[in-house]
Amino acid sequence: MKCNWCETEKALHSLESAYWELPDGSRAVEITQVPSIKCNNCGMIYIEEKQIAEIEDQFMLINTNNLGMVFSYKTLMDQPRFLKRNYFNFDR
C-alpha cells in the first residue's frame, strides 16, 4: 500500500489508538483499535479521510454520555443512533 506522506509502498493497514475531542467540546476521549495506516518507511501513522468522516458522523448521531474516556472503535460504531445519518453533513 502506498503511504500518503512519503509515497513509498511500505504502508500497511493497522489498528491504532486515536484521541478525539467530542463534537460538543465537553471532553477528549481515546478510541482504541481504530483502522489506520502505518508506514514502515517514514513511521507515519494516520487515519484515512473516509474513516475520519465515519467517526465524526457517529459522534454526531449517538448519545456520547454512554461512552467512557477510553473505548474501542467497535464499541463506538456499535452505539445506537438517534438518526439514520448525519443530516448536517452537506458533502453527500
Coordinates of all heavy atoms in Angstrom, one line a residue:
M1 N 0.8 -1.2 0.0 CA 0.0 0.0 0.0 C 0.9 1.2 0.0 O 1.9 1.3 0.7 CB -0.9 0.0 1.2 CG -1.5 1.3 1.6 SD -2.6 1.1 3.0 CE -4.1 0.8 2.2
K2 N 0.5 2.3 -0.7 CA 1.3 3.5 -0.8 C 1.0 4.4 0.3 O -0.2 4.7 0.7 CB 0.9 4.2 -2.2 CG 1.8 5.4 -2.5 CD 1.5 5.9 -3.9 CE 2.4 7.0 -4.2 NZ 2.1 7.5 -5.6
C3 N 2.0 5.0 0.9 CA 1.9 5.9 2.0 C 1.6 7.3 1.5 O 2.2 7.8 0.5 CB 3.3 6.0 2.8 SG 3.3 7.3 4.1
N4 N 0.6 7.9 2.1 CA 0.2 9.3 1.7 C 1.2 10.3 2.0 O 1.2 11.4 1.5 CB -1.1 9.7 2.3 CG -2.3 9.0 1.7 OD1 -2.2 8.3 0.7 ND2 -3.5 9.1 2.4
W5 N 2.2 10.0 2.9 CA 3.2 11.0 3.3 C 4.5 10.9 2.5 O 4.9 11.9 2.0 CB 3.4 10.9 4.8 CG 2.2 11.2 5.6 CD1 1.2 10.3 6.0 CD2 1.7 12.5 6.0 NE1 0.2 11.0 6.6 CE2 0.5 12.3 6.7 CE3 2.3 13.8 5.9 CZ2 -0.2 13.4 7.2 CZ3 1.5 14.8 6.4 CH2 0.3 14.6 7.0
C6 N 5.1 9.7 2.5 CA 6.4 9.6 1.8 C 6.3 8.9 0.5 O 7.3 8.8 -0.2 CB 7.4 8.9 2.7 SG 7.0 7.1 3.0
E7 N 5.1 8.4 0.2 CA 4.8 7.8 -1.1 C 5.5 6.5 -1.5 O 5.6 6.1 -2.6 CB 4.9 8.9 -2.3 CG 4.0 10.1 -2.1 CD 4.0 11.1 -3.2 OE1 5.0 11.0 -4.1 OE2 3.2 11.9 -3.2
T8 N 6.1 5.9 -0.4 CA 6.6 4.6 -0.7 C 5.5 3.5 -0.6 O 4.4 3.8 -0.2 CB 7.7 4.2 0.4 OG1 7.1 4.1 1.6 CG2 8.8 5.2 0.4
E9 N 5.8 2.3 -1.0 CA 4.9 1.2 -1.0 C 5.0 0.4 0.3 O 4.8 -0.8 0.3 CB 5.1 0.3 -2.2 CG 4.8 1.0 -3.5 CD 3.3 1.3 -3.7 OE1 2.5 0.6 -3.2 OE2 3.0 2.2 -4.5
K10 N 5.4 1.0 1.4 CA 5.7 0.3 2.6 C 4.6 0.5 3.7 O 4.9 0.2 4.9 CB 7.1 0.6 3.2 CG 8.2 0.2 2.2 CD 9.5 0.4 2.8 CE 10.6 -0.1 1.8 NZ 11.9 0.0 2.3
A11 N 3.5 1.0 3.4 CA 2.4 1.3 4.3 C 1.6 0.1 4.5 O 1.4 -0.7 3.5 CB 1.6 2.5 3.9
L12 N 1.1 -0.2 5.7 CA 0.2 -1.3 6.0 C -1.0 -0.9 6.8 O -1.0 0.1 7.5 CB 1.0 -2.3 6.8 CG 2.3 -2.8 6.3 CD1 3.1 -3.6 7.3 CD2 2.1 -3.7 5.1
H13 N -2.1 -1.7 6.6 CA -3.2 -1.5 7.5 C -2.9 -1.8 8.9 O -2.1 -2.8 9.1 CB -4.4 -2.3 7.0 CG -5.0 -1.8 5.7 ND1 -5.9 -0.8 5.6 CD2 -4.8 -2.2 4.4 CE1 -6.2 -0.6 4.4 NE2 -5.6 -1.4 3.6
S14 N -3.4 -1.1 9.9 CA -3.0 -1.3 11.3 C -4.2 -0.9 12.2 O -5.1 -0.1 11.7 CB -1.8 -0.4 11.6 OG -1.4 -0.6 12.9
L15 N -4.2 -1.3 13.4 CA -5.2 -0.9 14.4 C -4.5 -0.1 15.4 O -3.6 -0.6 16.1 CB -5.9 -2.1 15.0 CG -6.8 -2.9 14.1 CD1 -7.3 -4.1 14.8 CD2 -7.9 -2.1 13.5
E16 N -4.8 1.2 15.6 CA -4.1 2.1 16.4 C -5.1 2.9 17.3 O -6.2 2.9 17.1 CB -3.3 3.1 15.6 CG -2.3 2.5 14.6 CD -1.1 1.8 15.3 OE1 -0.8 2.2 16.4 OE2 -0.5 0.9 14.6
S17 N -4.5 3.5 18.4 CA -5.3 4.4 19.3 C -5.3 5.8 18.7 O -4.4 6.2 18.0 CB -4.7 4.4 20.7 OG -4.9 3.2 21.3
A18 N -6.5 6.5 18.9 CA -6.6 7.8 18.4 C -7.3 8.6 19.5 O -8.1 8.1 20.3 CB -7.4 7.9 17.1
Y19 N -6.9 9.9 19.6 CA -7.5 10.8 20.6 C -8.4 11.8 19.9 O -8.1 12.3 18.9 CB -6.4 11.5 21.4 CG -5.5 10.5 22.1 CD1 -4.4 10.0 21.4 CD2 -5.8 10.0 23.3 CE1 -3.6 9.0 22.0 CE2 -5.1 9.0 23.9 CZ -4.0 8.5 23.3 OH -3.2 7.6 23.9
W20 N -9.6 11.9 20.4 CA -10.7 12.7 19.8 C -11.4 13.6 20.7 O -11.7 13.3 21.8 CB -11.7 11.7 19.2 CG -12.1 12.0 17.8 CD1 -13.1 12.9 17.4 CD2 -11.6 11.3 16.7 NE1 -13.2 12.8 16.0 CE2 -12.3 11.9 15.5 CE3 -10.6 10.4 16.4 CZ2 -12.0 11.5 14.3 CZ3 -10.3 10.0 15.2 CH2 -11.0 10.5 14.1
E21 N -11.6 14.8 20.3 CA -12.5 15.8 21.0 C -13.9 15.6 20.6 O -14.2 15.5 19.4 CB -12.1 17.2 20.8 CG -12.9 18.2 21.6 CD -12.4 19.6 21.4 OE1 -11.4 19.9 20.8 OE2 -13.2 20.5 21.9
L22 N -14.8 15.4 21.5 CA -16.2 15.2 21.2 C -16.8 16.5 20.5 O -16.3 17.6 20.7 CB -17.1 14.9 22.4 CG -16.7 13.6 23.2 CD1 -17.6 13.4 24.4 CD2 -16.7 12.4 22.3
P23 N -17.8 16.3 19.6 CA -18.3 17.4 18.8 C -18.8 18.6 19.7 O -18.7 19.7 19.3 CB -19.4 16.8 18.0 CG -19.1 15.4 17.9 CD -18.4 15.0 19.2
D24 N -19.3 18.3 20.9 CA -19.8 19.4 21.8 C -18.6 20.0 22.6 O -18.9 21.0 23.3 CB -20.9 18.9 22.7 CG -20.4 17.8 23.7 OD1 -19.2 17.5 23.7 OD2 -21.2 17.3 24.5
G25 N -17.4 19.6 22.4 CA -16.3 20.1 23.1 C -16.2 19.8 24.6 O -15.3 20.4 25.3
S26 N -17.0 18.9 25.1 CA -17.1 18.7 26.5 C -15.9 17.9 27.1 O -15.5 18.0 28.2 CB -18.4 17.9 26.9 OG -18.4 16.7 26.2
R27 N -15.2 17.1 26.2 CA -14.1 16.3 26.7 C -13.4 15.6 25.5 O -13.9 15.6 24.4 CB -14.6 15.2 27.7 CG -15.5 14.2 27.1 CD -16.1 13.3 28.2 NE -17.2 12.6 27.7 CZ -17.3 11.3 27.6 NH1 -16.3 10.5 28.0 NH2 -18.4 10.7 27.1
A28 N -12.2 15.1 25.8 CA -11.5 14.4 24.8 C -11.5 12.9 25.3 O -11.5 12.6 26.5 CB -10.0 14.9 24.7
V29 N -11.5 12.0 24.3 CA -11.5 10.6 24.6 C -10.4 9.8 23.8 O -9.9 10.4 22.8 CB -12.9 10.0 24.2 CG1 -14.0 10.6 25.1 CG2 -13.2 10.2 22.7
E30 N -10.1 8.6 24.2 CA -9.2 7.8 23.5 C -10.0 6.6 22.9 O -10.8 6.0 23.5 CB -8.2 7.2 24.4 CG -7.2 6.2 23.7 CD -6.2 5.6 24.6 OE1 -6.2 5.9 25.8 OE2 -5.4 4.7 24.1
I31 N -9.9 6.5 21.6 CA -10.5 5.4 20.8 C -9.4 4.4 20.5 O -8.4 4.7 19.8 CB -11.2 5.9 19.5 CG1 -12.1 7.1 19.8 CG2 -12.0 4.8 18.9 CD1 -12.6 7.8 18.6
T32 N -9.6 3.2 20.9 CA -8.6 2.1 20.7 C -9.0 1.3 19.4 O -10.1 1.3 19.0 CB -8.4 1.2 21.9 OG1 -9.7 0.5 22.1 CG2 -8.0 1.9 23.1
Q33 N -8.0 0.7 18.8 CA -8.2 -0.2 17.7 C -8.9 0.4 16.5 O -9.8 -0.1 15.9 CB -9.0 -1.5 18.1 CG -8.2 -2.2 19.2 CD -9.0 -3.4 19.7 OE1 -10.2 -3.5 19.6 NE2 -8.2 -4.4 20.2
V34 N -8.5 1.7 16.2 CA -9.1 2.4 15.1 C -8.4 1.9 13.8 O -7.1 1.9 13.8 CB -8.9 3.9 15.2 CG1 -9.4 4.7 14.0 CG2 -9.5 4.4 16.5
P35 N -9.1 1.5 12.7 CA -8.4 1.2 11.5 C -7.6 2.3 11.0 O -8.1 3.5 10.8 CB -9.6 0.9 10.5 CG -10.7 0.5 11.5 CD -10.5 1.4 12.7
S36 N -6.3 2.1 10.8 CA -5.4 3.2 10.4 C -4.4 2.6 9.4 O -4.4 1.5 9.0 CB -4.6 3.6 11.7 OG -5.4 3.9 12.7
I37 N -3.5 3.5 9.0 CA -2.4 3.2 8.1 C -1.1 3.5 8.8 O -1.0 4.6 9.4 CB -2.5 4.0 6.7 CG1 -3.9 3.9 6.1 CG2 -1.4 3.6 5.8 CD1 -4.2 2.5 5.6
K38 N -0.2 2.6 8.7 CA 1.1 2.7 9.4 C 2.2 2.5 8.3 O 2.2 1.5 7.7 CB 1.2 1.8 10.5 CG 2.5 1.9 11.3 CD 2.5 0.9 12.5 CE 3.7 1.2 13.4 NZ 3.6 0.3 14.6
C39 N 3.1 3.5 8.2 CA 4.1 3.3 7.2 C 5.4 2.9 7.9 O 5.9 3.5 8.8 CB 4.4 4.7 6.5 SG 5.7 4.6 5.2
N40 N 6.0 1.8 7.4 CA 7.2 1.3 7.9 C 8.5 2.0 7.4 O 9.6 1.9 7.9 CB 7.4 -0.2 7.6 CG 6.4 -1.1 8.3 OD1 6.1 -0.8 9.5 ND2 5.9 -2.1 7.7
N41 N 8.3 2.9 6.4 CA 9.4 3.7 5.9 C 9.6 5.0 6.7 O 10.6 5.3 7.2 CB 9.2 4.0 4.4 CG 10.3 4.8 3.8 OD1 11.5 4.3 3.8 ND2 10.1 6.0 3.3
C42 N 8.5 5.8 6.7 CA 8.6 7.1 7.4 C 8.1 7.1 8.8 O 8.3 8.1 9.6 CB 7.9 8.2 6.6 SG 6.1 8.1 6.5
G43 N 7.4 6.0 9.3 CA 6.9 5.9 10.6 C 5.6 6.6 10.9 O 5.1 6.6 12.0
M44 N 5.0 7.3 9.8 CA 3.8 8.0 10.0 C 2.6 7.0 10.2 O 2.6 5.9 9.6 CB 3.5 8.8 8.7 CG 2.2 9.7 8.8 SD 2.3 10.9 10.1 CE 3.5 12.1 9.5
I45 N 1.7 7.4 11.1 CA 0.5 6.6 11.4 C -0.6 7.6 11.2 O -0.6 8.7 11.8 CB 0.5 6.1 12.9 CG1 1.7 5.1 13.1 CG2 -0.8 5.4 13.1 CD1 1.8 4.7 14.5
Y46 N -1.6 7.2 10.4 CA -2.7 8.2 10.1 C -4.0 7.4 9.8 O -4.0 6.2 9.5 CB -2.3 9.1 8.9 CG -2.0 8.4 7.6 CD1 -3.0 8.2 6.6 CD2 -0.7 8.0 7.3 CE1 -2.7 7.6 5.5 CE2 -0.4 7.3 6.1 CZ -1.4 7.1 5.2 OH -1.1 6.5 4.0
I47 N -5.1 8.1 9.9 CA -6.4 7.6 9.6 C -6.9 8.2 8.3 O -6.7 9.4 8.1 CB -7.4 7.9 10.8 CG1 -6.8 7.4 12.1 CG2 -8.8 7.4 10.5 CD1 -7.6 7.9 13.3
E48 N -7.4 7.4 7.4 CA -7.8 7.9 6.2 C -9.1 8.8 6.3 O -9.8 8.6 7.3 CB -8.1 6.7 5.2 CG -6.9 6.0 4.8 CD -7.1 4.8 3.9 OE1 -7.8 3.9 4.2 OE2 -6.6 4.9 2.7
E49 N -9.3 9.7 5.4 CA -10.3 10.7 5.5 C -11.7 10.0 5.6 O -12.6 10.5 6.3 CB -10.3 11.6 4.3 CG -9.1 12.6 4.3 CD -9.1 13.6 5.4 OE1 -10.2 14.0 5.8 OE2 -8.1 13.9 5.9
K50 N -11.9 9.0 4.9 CA -13.2 8.3 4.9 C -13.5 7.8 6.3 O -14.6 7.9 6.8 CB -13.2 7.1 3.9 CG -14.5 6.3 3.9 CD -14.5 5.2 2.9 CE -15.8 4.5 2.9 NZ -15.7 3.1 3.2
Q51 N -12.5 7.2 7.0 CA -12.6 6.7 8.3 C -12.9 7.8 9.3 O -13.7 7.7 10.2 CB -11.3 6.0 8.7 CG -11.5 5.0 9.8 CD -12.2 3.7 9.3 OE1 -12.0 3.2 8.2 NE2 -13.1 3.2 10.1
I52 N -12.2 8.9 9.1 CA -12.4 10.1 10.0 C -13.9 10.6 9.9 O -14.5 10.9 10.9 CB -11.4 11.2 9.6 CG1 -10.0 10.8 10.0 CG2 -11.8 12.5 10.3 CD1 -8.9 11.8 9.5
A53 N -14.4 10.6 8.7 CA -15.8 11.1 8.4 C -16.8 10.2 9.1 O -17.8 10.6 9.7 CB -16.1 11.2 7.0
E54 N -16.5 8.8 9.1 CA -17.4 7.9 9.7 C -17.4 8.1 11.2 O -18.5 8.0 11.9 CB -17.0 6.5 9.4 CG -17.3 6.1 7.9 CD -16.8 4.7 7.6 OE1 -16.3 3.9 8.5 OE2 -16.9 4.3 6.4
I55 N -16.2 8.3 11.8 CA -16.1 8.5 13.3 C -16.9 9.8 13.6 O -17.7 9.8 14.6 CB -14.7 8.5 13.7 CG1 -14.1 7.1 13.6 CG2 -14.5 9.0 15.1 CD1 -12.5 7.1 13.7
E56 N -16.6 10.9 12.9 CA -17.3 12.2 13.2 C -18.8 12.1 13.1 O -19.5 12.6 13.9 CB -16.7 13.3 12.2 CG -15.3 13.7 12.5 CD -15.1 14.5 13.7 OE1 -16.0 15.2 14.2 OE2 -14.0 14.4 14.3
D57 N -19.3 11.4 12.0 CA -20.7 11.2 11.8 C -21.3 10.4 13.0 O -22.3 10.8 13.5 CB -21.0 10.4 10.5 CG -21.0 11.3 9.3 OD1 -20.9 12.6 9.5 OD2 -21.0 10.8 8.2
Q58 N -20.6 9.3 13.4 CA -21.1 8.5 14.5 C -21.2 9.3 15.8 O -22.2 9.3 16.5 CB -20.2 7.3 14.7 CG -20.7 6.3 15.8 CD -22.0 5.6 15.4 OE1 -22.6 5.8 14.4 NE2 -22.4 4.6 16.2
F59 N -20.2 10.2 16.1 CA -20.3 11.0 17.3 C -21.5 12.0 17.2 O -22.1 12.3 18.3 CB -19.0 11.8 17.5 CG -17.9 11.1 18.2 CD1 -16.6 11.1 17.7 CD2 -18.1 10.4 19.4 CE1 -15.6 10.4 18.3 CE2 -17.1 9.8 20.1 CZ -15.9 9.8 19.5
M60 N -21.8 12.4 16.0 CA -23.0 13.3 15.9 C -24.3 12.6 16.1 O -25.3 13.3 16.3 CB -23.0 14.0 14.5 CG -21.8 14.9 14.3 SD -21.8 16.4 15.4 CE -23.2 17.3 14.7
L61 N -24.3 11.3 15.9 CA -25.6 10.6 15.9 C -25.9 9.7 17.1 O -26.9 9.0 17.2 CB -25.6 9.6 14.7 CG -25.5 10.4 13.3 CD1 -25.3 9.3 12.2 CD2 -26.7 11.2 13.1
I62 N -25.0 9.8 18.1 CA -25.2 8.9 19.3 C -25.2 9.8 20.6 O -24.9 11.0 20.6 CB -24.1 7.9 19.4 CG1 -22.7 8.5 19.7 CG2 -24.1 7.0 18.2 CD1 -21.6 7.6 20.0
N63 N -25.6 9.2 21.7 CA -25.5 9.8 23.0 C -24.1 9.5 23.5 O -23.8 8.4 24.0 CB -26.6 9.2 23.9 CG -26.6 9.9 25.3 OD1 -25.7 10.7 25.6 ND2 -27.5 9.5 26.1
T64 N -23.2 10.5 23.4 CA -21.8 10.3 23.9 C -21.7 10.2 25.4 O -20.7 9.7 25.9 CB -21.0 11.5 23.4 OG1 -21.5 12.7 23.9 CG2 -20.9 11.5 21.9
N65 N -22.8 10.5 26.1 CA -22.7 10.3 27.6 C -22.6 8.8 28.0 O -22.2 8.5 29.1 CB -23.9 10.9 28.2 CG -24.0 12.4 28.1 OD1 -22.9 13.1 28.1 ND2 -25.1 13.0 28.0
N66 N -23.0 7.9 27.0 CA -22.9 6.5 27.3 C -21.5 5.9 27.1 O -21.2 4.8 27.4 CB -23.8 5.7 26.4 CG -25.3 6.0 26.6 OD1 -25.6 6.5 27.7 ND2 -26.1 5.9 25.6
L67 N -20.5 6.8 26.7 CA -19.2 6.3 26.5 C -18.3 6.8 27.6 O -18.4 7.9 28.1 CB -18.6 6.9 25.2 CG -19.4 6.5 23.9 CD1 -18.9 7.4 22.7 CD2 -19.2 5.1 23.6
G68 N -17.3 5.9 27.9 CA -16.3 6.3 28.9 C -15.2 7.2 28.3 O -15.4 7.7 27.2
M69 N -14.1 7.3 29.0 CA -13.0 8.1 28.5 C -12.1 7.3 27.5 O -11.4 7.9 26.7 CB -12.1 8.5 29.7 CG -12.8 9.5 30.6 SD -13.3 11.0 29.9 CE -11.8 11.8 29.6
V70 N -12.2 5.9 27.6 CA -11.4 5.1 26.7 C -12.4 4.0 26.2 O -13.0 3.3 27.0 CB -10.2 4.4 27.4 CG1 -9.5 3.5 26.4 CG2 -9.3 5.5 28.0
F71 N -12.5 3.8 24.9 CA -13.3 2.7 24.3 C -12.8 2.3 23.0 O -12.0 3.1 22.4 CB -14.8 3.2 24.3 CG -14.9 4.5 23.7 CD1 -15.0 4.7 22.3 CD2 -15.0 5.7 24.5 CE1 -15.2 6.0 21.7 CE2 -15.1 6.9 23.9 CZ -15.2 7.1 22.5
S72 N -13.2 1.2 22.5 CA -12.8 0.7 21.2 C -13.6 1.3 20.0 O -14.7 1.8 20.2 CB -12.8 -0.8 21.1 OG -14.2 -1.2 21.0
Y73 N -13.0 1.3 18.9 CA -13.7 1.7 17.6 C -15.0 0.9 17.5 O -16.0 1.5 17.1 CB -12.7 1.5 16.4 CG -13.4 1.7 15.1 CD1 -13.6 3.0 14.6 CD2 -13.8 0.7 14.3 CE1 -14.2 3.2 13.4 CE2 -14.4 0.9 13.1 CZ -14.6 2.2 12.6 OH -15.2 2.4 11.4
K74 N -14.9 -0.4 17.7 CA -16.1 -1.2 17.6 C -17.2 -0.8 18.5 O -18.4 -0.7 18.2 CB -15.8 -2.7 17.8 CG -16.9 -3.6 17.6 CD -16.5 -5.1 17.8 CE -17.7 -6.1 17.7 NZ -19.0 -5.6 17.6
T75 N -16.8 -0.5 19.8 CA -17.8 0.0 20.8 C -18.5 1.3 20.3 O -19.7 1.4 20.4 CB -17.1 0.2 22.1 OG1 -16.6 -1.0 22.6 CG2 -18.1 0.8 23.1
L76 N -17.7 2.2 19.7 CA -18.2 3.5 19.2 C -19.2 3.2 18.1 O -20.3 3.7 18.1 CB -17.1 4.4 18.7 CG -17.5 5.6 17.9 CD1 -18.3 6.6 18.8 CD2 -16.3 6.3 17.3
M77 N -18.8 2.4 17.1 CA -19.6 2.2 16.0 C -20.9 1.3 16.3 O -21.8 1.3 15.5 CB -18.8 1.5 14.8 CG -17.6 2.4 14.4 SD -18.0 4.1 14.1 CE -18.8 4.0 12.5
D78 N -20.8 0.6 17.4 CA -22.0 -0.3 17.8 C -23.0 0.5 18.6 O -24.1 0.0 18.9 CB -21.5 -1.5 18.6 CG -20.9 -2.5 17.7 OD1 -21.0 -2.4 16.5 OD2 -20.2 -3.4 18.3
Q79 N -22.8 1.8 18.9 CA -23.7 2.6 19.7 C -25.0 2.8 18.9 O -24.9 3.1 17.7 CB -23.1 3.9 20.1 CG -21.9 3.8 21.1 CD -22.3 3.2 22.4 OE1 -23.2 3.8 23.1 NE2 -21.7 2.2 22.8
P80 N -26.1 2.7 19.6 CA -27.4 3.0 18.9 C -27.5 4.5 18.5 O -27.0 5.4 19.2 CB -28.5 2.7 19.9 CG -27.8 2.6 21.2 CD -26.4 2.3 21.0
R81 N -28.0 4.7 17.3 CA -28.1 6.1 16.7 C -29.4 6.7 17.0 O -30.4 6.0 16.9 CB -27.8 6.1 15.2 CG -26.4 5.7 14.9 CD -26.2 5.6 13.4 NE -24.8 5.6 13.0 CZ -24.4 5.8 11.8 NH1 -25.2 6.0 10.8 NH2 -23.1 5.7 11.6
F82 N -29.4 8.0 17.1 CA -30.7 8.8 17.2 C -31.3 9.0 15.8 O -32.5 9.0 15.7 CB -30.5 10.2 17.8 CG -30.1 10.2 19.3 CD1 -28.9 10.9 19.7 CD2 -30.8 9.5 20.2 CE1 -28.6 10.9 21.0 CE2 -30.4 9.5 21.5 CZ -29.3 10.2 21.9
L83 N -30.4 9.1 14.8 CA -30.9 9.3 13.4 C -30.2 8.3 12.5 O -29.1 7.8 12.9 CB -30.5 10.7 12.9 CG -31.1 11.9 13.7 CD1 -30.4 13.2 13.3 CD2 -32.6 12.0 13.5
K84 N -30.7 8.1 11.3 CA -30.0 7.1 10.4 C -28.8 7.7 9.8 O -27.9 6.9 9.5 CB -31.0 6.8 9.3 CG -32.2 5.9 9.8 CD -33.1 5.5 8.6 CE -34.3 4.8 9.2 NZ -35.2 4.4 8.1
R85 N -28.7 9.0 9.6 CA -27.5 9.6 9.1 C -27.3 11.0 9.6 O -28.2 11.6 10.1 CB -27.5 9.5 7.5 CG -28.5 10.4 6.9 CD -28.5 10.2 5.4 NE -28.9 11.4 4.6 CZ -28.2 12.4 4.2 NH1 -26.9 12.5 4.5 NH2 -28.7 13.4 3.6
N86 N -26.2 11.6 9.3 CA -25.9 12.9 9.8 C -26.4 13.9 8.7 O -25.8 14.1 7.7 CB -24.3 13.1 9.9 CG -24.0 14.5 10.4 OD1 -24.8 15.3 10.6 ND2 -22.7 14.6 10.7
Y87 N -27.5 14.5 9.0 CA -28.2 15.4 8.1 C -27.5 16.8 8.0 O -27.8 17.6 7.2 CB -29.6 15.6 8.5 CG -30.4 14.3 8.3 CD1 -30.7 13.5 9.4 CD2 -30.8 13.9 7.0 CE1 -31.4 12.3 9.2 CE2 -31.5 12.7 6.8 CZ -31.8 11.9 7.9 OH -32.5 10.7 7.7
F88 N -26.5 17.0 8.9 CA -25.7 18.2 8.9 C -24.5 18.1 8.0 O -23.8 19.1 7.8 CB -25.3 18.6 10.3 CG -26.5 18.9 11.2 CD1 -26.8 17.9 12.1 CD2 -27.2 20.0 11.1 CE1 -27.9 18.1 12.9 CE2 -28.3 20.2 11.9 CZ -28.7 19.3 12.8
N89 N -24.2 16.9 7.4 CA -23.1 16.8 6.5 C -23.6 17.0 5.1 O -24.3 16.2 4.5 CB -22.5 15.3 6.7 CG -21.3 15.1 5.8 OD1 -21.0 15.9 4.9 ND2 -20.6 14.0 6.1
F90 N -23.2 18.1 4.5 CA -23.7 18.5 3.2 C -22.8 18.1 2.1 O -23.1 18.4 0.9 CB -23.9 20.0 3.1 CG -24.9 20.5 4.2 CD1 -24.4 21.3 5.3 CD2 -26.2 20.2 4.1 CE1 -25.3 21.7 6.2 CE2 -27.1 20.6 5.1 CZ -26.7 21.4 6.1
D91 N -21.8 17.3 2.4 CA -20.9 16.8 1.3 C -21.5 15.6 0.6 O -21.0 15.2 -0.4 CB -19.6 16.3 2.0 CG -18.8 17.4 2.5 OD1 -18.9 18.6 2.0 OD2 -18.0 17.2 3.4
R92 N -22.6 15.1 1.0 CA -23.2 13.9 0.4 C -24.3 14.4 -0.6 O -25.0 15.3 -0.5 CB -23.8 13.0 1.4 CG -22.7 12.4 2.2 CD -23.3 11.4 3.1 NE -22.3 11.1 4.2 CZ -22.6 10.8 5.4 NH1 -23.9 10.6 5.7 NH2 -21.7 10.5 6.2

